[in-house]
Amino acid sequence: MTQYSPDNIPFGFQYYRSPTPTREHWEQDLKRLSDLGFNTVKYWVQWRASHPAPEMYEFDDIQELMDLAAKYKLKVILNVIFDTAPAWIYKRYPESKMIAADGSVLEPTAIPCRQIGGAPGPCFHHDEANFWKDAFLRESVLRFKDHPALYLWDLWNEPELTTSIKRELSFENQVCYCDHSLNRFQLWLKAKYGRLENLNRKWQRNYRQWDEVEAPRRQAVFNDMVDWRLFFVDTVTKELKRRVEIVKDYDQVHPVMCHTVPAPIFNLITAGSDDFMLAEPCDLFGNSLGSSAWAADLLTSAAKGKRLINSEIHAMPGMTSLKPQKLEWKKLKEHILIPLARGIGGFVFWQYRPEVLGLEAPAWGHSYLDGSPTPWLEDTAKLNRIIQNDKEIILNGRRPSDGIAILYSAEGQIANFSVFGHLKTYEDTIQGAHRLLHDLNYKVEFVHEKDLATELDRFKCLWMPFPIYLNQQVCDILRQWTSNGGVLISECSFGMLQAVNGFHTYSVPGYNFDDVFGVRETWIHSEEYLDHSYHTRSITAQGDSIKMVWSENEQSGHAGRTIQGAYYQTEIETYAETEVLARFESDQSPAVTCHSYGKGKAVWIGTLAGASYFHNPTRDAQVCFAELLLDIGIIPYVRVTGDGIRADLLECRGDRREALLFVQNLYELENSATIALNQYKLSSCETWFSDGNGWVERNGIRVNLQSGDFQVFRCIVE
């Protein structure tokens, strides 16, 4: 029996999604993978493929593949797939089909990523369908739990409600409105609120019985929609928990995981997937997009120290009509080194052999269609060898926190959807805040609103992206934390919607936070109305109408610089002791302020600066916010002197403090920079790759990188 080892770095490929690759290729392919030095493969165990009748289970294909993996010393991740429901499920339970908000029924179908049909699966609240789902999982575990090749169970491939069929964000695409879901929703509300009058007060209704409660379908008020979509976040999370419990009832040896797709590709409203919630029941955690800094940072924050696997590296995307680009060495390094620099210690590419069935074929492959090796397969094997040689540093290394976090709000996302019918205001802003801090070389972390009471004290600074919807408990935590010395940075409209009753607050900032920020919002302009005419423009996030000039009375080097905002511009009254850091160019009114509160500080940004930076990252914005953060005591552990270079450190502490220094050139030009630590000295420099260029200087390590390149250096820390 192969037991999971925390001392391994799994590195390999997704291999089998029935019906391809076909049987005649299996042994040749798996032997080649083993000969090249890879150690892991992933197989899909699909409900429809392996459960063709109620009392019939067919696992012959998986059994043979498991035996071949054992023969060639490959570890296997079994990914159990439930959104390919057997045809007999729908025939026996026609009422199990999901219903969308517009009344359409989601009939079972084949889609590009579920070629054998049965998607999206039955409603998650249909008890009889769940019974058979559980039975299939139980049979899968009993069949393979003792197989020597089994490494771990992946219990949900990219959790979402409809397997992409109704993923596009709209009110019409919400599911599920069947009687099973509505009844379960009413029970969920009863458990949450206890008394019907509490729900009526929150929603502003006058229900007399719980079975009168309706599910919202369109834009109107906000609290009902927040509850409705949180109910489905809870539904998806409970579905995963049930799968975990079933596996652990029969297999206490092999760990369990799932792998997600973060926003904005999967939005929380129509997908129901919240990384922070889904990480909790897992032993390991993963996602499909860890090769982006945004996705990797969100993943590591959600996992809270659990081992991580980048479960589907999308290095060769394409479809029948859109052929993939060849994978160059520089791009391959990004796919591995971006997550590796953030502590992700497992890598599975989608996939080894290109599929030959369906719309996703013939892309995604690390071999040619005939199975012969590509140049990028050989490059990937080279990269694997380098990584395995330094696995001790990788598995035990860490970069200390920089003490700055971005608030991740599930309720805020749903409220934004309720208000705007889209999520661009929220997604642009939170991604822009991440991008700004990333470009300033901070270790970017996220904290979920549900974890503020237990996690916030770890941080010195919290950035709140467009926090329009807040509750009293969150605000009480933020007030106390700021008073105790925290630095709160908020974009405009803090708490403009009150969770307690869904009302717009009479004064912004809400919850009496004007005394925390030292400002009071008197008016807010939508960007398309800033010309004060009856002519309106399509709203954008480019910030061409909103510009902020850093105040000339500042003594630092950013005085007079212009940075952009987006979507909104506020007018505020300031307290006498409130410091104005920047003013709007249009009317010279305060745009960015800083106010002392207790032992801490609160920074107010009167626009969506994050959204503007996401679309238009400027050097002026970097300089202004870098100096602001340094002025309030937020100093990155890894310091970069020079523009356009991102550096991360995996530091393995001990008598000989070895470290891996990851350096990425964000510019499309040859670039140099000096890298140093906040408190320690980097005293040696040895490159991982023959194309690297770095040397030790008095102030740190000097690196020189080609256009857009990524290099790694082994260092000693003193």
Side-chain angles (χ1 to χ4, degrees):
M1 181 184 301
T2 299
Q3 296 190 20
Y4 171 78
S5 169
D7 297 326
N8 280 326
I9 297 178
F11 201 120
F13 297 87
Q14 160 73 27
Y15 182 71
Y16 181 67
R17 174 165 67 178
S18 174
T20 66
T22 50
R23 182 173 265 100
E24 67 267 22
H25 299 129
W26 293 350
E27 183 153 13
Q28 167 194 313
D29 289 347
L30 296 178
K31 181 180 186 302
R32 175 171 285 134
L33 285 174
S34 180
D35 290 345
L36 286 170
F38 298 107
N39 59 26
T40 303
V41 289
K42 180 153 69 80
Y43 304 148
W44 275 23
V45 184
Q46 299 185 81
W47 190 12
R48 173 170 281 216
S50 298
H51 197 179
E55 305 302 332
M56 181 183 298
Y57 297 94
E58 295 182 348
F59 292 111
D60 291 351
D61 54 346
I62 306 298
Q63 182 68 50
E64 185 173 344
L65 284 161
M66 294 290 286
D67 293 344
L68 285 170
K71 177 179 178 180
Y72 294 109
K73 297 180 173 57
L74 295 168
K75 300 185 288 291
V76 176
I77 299 171
L78 285 182
N79 203 164
V80 189
I81 306 297
F82 296 97
D83 43 37
T84 56
W88 60 266
I89 284 284
Y90 297 108
K91 185 176 181 180
R92 180 177 285 196
Y93 308 112
E95 76 286 355
S96 72
K97 298 170 186 175
M98 295 188 213
I99 300 176
D102 61 5
S104 60
V105 177
L106 275 62
E107 298 289 349
T109 185
I111 57 177
C113 57
R114 302 293 186 274
Q115 303 98 314
I116 64 173
C123 172
F124 290 98
H125 301 117
H126 192 279
D127 290 337
E128 290 87 352
N130 278 332
F131 169 84
W132 288 106
K133 207 186 307 183
D134 295 349
F136 175 68
L137 178 57
R138 189 161 44 246
E139 189 67 24
S140 301
V141 175
L142 290 172
R143 186 67 62 95
F144 296 111
K145 69 182 181 68
D146 296 321
H147 197 284
L150 180 62
Y151 188 51
L152 60 88
W153 298 96
D154 189 341
L155 297 180
W156 205 335
N157 179 88
E158 301 176 352
E160 62 171 323
L161 291 166
T162 66
T163 323
S164 79
I165 294 171
K166 291 286 185 178
R167 182 191 303 155
E168 184 177 353
L169 185 63
S170 71
F171 289 95
E172 294 75 17
N173 278 353
Q174 295 176 93
V175 298
C176 176
Y177 288 82
C178 73
D179 289 342
H180 305 283
S181 291
L182 180 57
N183 292 338
R184 202 64 58 86
F185 179 51
Q186 291 163 347
L187 291 173
W188 184 86
L189 291 170
K190 187 174 183 180
K192 178 175 181 177
Y193 291 104
R195 298 165 61 87
L196 196 54
E197 51 263 41
N198 295 333
L199 174 69
N200 283 332
R201 188 179 307 112
K202 182 82 173 279
W203 284 21
Q204 305 305 314
R205 306 293 166 83
N206 64 349
Y207 297 123
R208 290 295 175 264
Q209 299 180 59
W210 286 103
D211 62 6
E212 293 178 352
V213 176
E214 304 129 316
R217 295 174 184 263
R218 58 193 307 170
Q219 279 181 299
V221 295
F222 314 117
N223 277 350
D224 55 354
M225 187 63 73
V226 170
D227 274 335
W228 176 235
R229 299 328 294 171
L230 285 179
F231 165 64
F232 278 97
V233 171
D234 191 55
T235 294
V236 170
T237 305
K238 285 182 176 177
E239 171 74 18
L240 176 62
K241 287 180 178 178
R242 192 176 76 248
R243 297 179 189 182
V244 169
E245 289 168 359
I246 290 171
V247 172
K248 289 186 177 292
D249 280 344
Y250 299 95
D251 184 355
Q252 290 82 43
V253 174
H254 300 97
V256 297
M257 66 171 292
C258 77
H259 68 275
T260 64
V261 176
I265 298 176
F266 280 19
N267 70 81
L268 183 139
I269 286 84
T270 57
S273 178
D274 183 330
D275 287 53
F276 290 82
M277 301 288 287
L278 293 168
E280 289 183 357
C282 296
D283 299 316
L284 295 88
F285 197 46
N287 73 13
S288 296
L289 294 170
S291 45
S292 85
W294 155 263
D297 288 333
L298 191 66
L299 176 68
T300 53
S301 296
K304 298 179 185 174
K306 292 181 179 179
R307 281 288 306 278
L308 296 165
I309 295 178
N310 191 354
S311 301
E312 289 186 23
I313 302 173
H314 293 171
M316 295 294 297
M319 57 181 62
T320 305
S321 61
L322 182 65
K323 309 306 181 186
Q325 292 181 327
K326 291 183 176 180
L327 183 59
E328 302 295 336
W329 172 242
K330 186 188 297 184
K331 192 66 179 176
L332 172 63
K333 287 194 292 184
E334 286 185 20
H335 283 299
I336 296 298
L337 301 181
I338 287 175
L340 188 62
R342 286 153 175 82
I344 295 175
F347 308 95
V348 178
F349 284 86
W350 188 282
Q351 55 191 357
Y352 175 67
R353 179 185 281 264
E355 291 180 302
V356 291
L357 176 67
L359 194 61
E360 288 192 345
W364 304 93
H366 261 63
S367 77
Y368 291 116
L369 273 169
D370 64 1
S372 57
T374 62
W376 50 93
L377 176 63
E378 294 165 357
D379 283 344
T380 305
K382 170 186 172 182
L383 195 49
N384 175 46
R385 289 192 294 272
I386 294 170
I387 286 172
Q388 300 295 348
N389 285 338
D390 271 320
K391 68 179 182 180
E392 182 177 349
I393 301 177
I394 292 168
L395 292 172
N396 298 306
R398 67 182 184 90
R399 172 177 171 174
S401 174
D402 288 331
I404 186 168
I406 300 171
L407 180 66
Y408 182 91
S409 172
E411 293 187 356
Q413 292 176 64
I414 301 168
N416 265 265
F417 171 65
S418 299
V419 171
F420 299 100
H422 60 70
L423 278 175
K424 283 190 65 60
T425 41
Y426 183 85
E427 289 175 347
D428 288 358
T429 304
I430 192 170
Q431 288 184 100
H434 171 272
R435 186 172 186 174
L436 174 62
L437 296 176
H438 170 273
D439 291 353
L440 296 179
N441 219 71
Y442 287 97
K443 177 179 179 178
V444 190
E445 300 177 78
F446 296 86
V447 60
H448 197 288
E449 62 198 350
K450 72 180 180 63
D451 297 323
L452 282 174
T454 55
E455 296 284 320
L456 189 55
D457 284 343
R458 294 197 300 110
F459 299 102
K460 298 177 287 186
C461 182
L462 179 70
W463 185 301
M464 300 186 70
F466 198 35
I468 63 173
Y469 185 90
L470 296 170
N471 61 55
Q472 187 68 59
Q473 181 185 12
V474 164
C475 289
D476 288 345
I477 294 169
L478 294 175
R479 180 182 291 274
Q480 186 63 49
W481 173 79
T482 307
S483 179
N484 290 340
V487 177
L488 185 63
I489 300 176
S490 176
E491 294 174 299
C492 63
S493 301
F494 179 99
M496 79 173 198
L497 296 174
Q498 300 177 100
V500 64
N501 54 18
F503 286 4
H504 288 255
T505 185
Y506 294 111
S507 177
V508 178
Y511 297 92
N512 300 313
F513 260 62
D514 54 314
D515 67 333
V516 177
F517 289 103
V519 305
R520 181 176 178 272
E521 198 174 280
T522 58
W523 198 262
I524 182 167
H525 301 272
S526 296
E527 184 183 359
E528 64 263 52
Y529 288 126
L530 280 173
D531 56 6
H532 297 288
S533 71
Y534 290 102
H535 172 263
T536 62
R537 296 179 291 109
S538 175
I539 193 167
T540 71
Q542 301 306 314
D544 54 342
S545 303
I546 304 172
K547 295 182 180 179
M548 299 175 285
V549 180
W550 224 257
S551 299
E552 293 290 351
N553 59 4
E554 290 293 298
Q555 299 302 310
S556 55
H558 56 276
R561 290 181 182 265
T562 299
I563 60 177
Q564 293 183 331
Y567 290 115
Y568 293 106
Q569 176 176 321
T570 60
E571 294 179 12
I572 60 173
E573 296 174 348
T574 62
Y575 284 26
E577 65 274 18
T578 302
E579 183 181 7
V580 177
L581 304 180
R583 295 183 179 274
F584 288 114
E585 185 181 66
S586 58
D587 59 8
Q588 293 302 298
S589 64
V592 181
T593 64
C594 184
H595 181 253
S596 295
Y597 182 76
K599 298 177 182 178
K601 293 181 182 294
V603 175
W604 177 270
I605 304 172
T607 183
L608 303 191
S612 176
Y613 190 84
F614 178 66
H615 289 277
N616 185 22
T618 65
R619 176 62 181 154
D620 281 344
Q622 292 173 14
V623 170
C624 291
F625 281 104
E627 295 200 17
L628 169 61
L629 291 168
L630 292 174
D631 287 346
I632 58 181
I634 313 301
I635 303 170
Y637 182 77
V638 182
R639 293 181 286 109
V640 176
T641 304
D643 296 340
I645 294 289
R646 169 75 192 189
D648 289 281
L649 192 81
L650 287 183
E651 180 184 344
C652 193
R653 299 195 173 191
D655 293 337
R656 179 181 169 85
R657 293 175 58 188
E658 295 181 298
L660 293 176
L661 178 66
F662 298 79
V663 187
Q664 184 179 12
N665 181 6
L666 304 176
Y667 286 176
E668 292 303 318
L669 300 167
E670 186 175 349
N671 199 4
S672 297
T674 300
I675 300 164
L677 299 186
N678 189 21
Q679 300 174 0
Y680 303 97
K681 180 181 179 183
L682 291 166
S683 63
S684 70
C685 180
E686 176 187 342
T687 183
W688 255 18
F689 310 115
S690 58
D691 52 346
N693 189 359
W695 60 94
V696 177
E697 290 186 341
R698 182 172 59 87
N699 295 324
I701 289 178
R702 185 73 176 172
V703 296
N704 186 77
L705 274 69
Q706 297 301 310
S707 166
D709 199 11
F710 208 138
Q711 293 294 331
V712 184
F713 304 94
R714 186 190 288 107
C715 307
I716 302 298
V717 179
E718 293 180 354

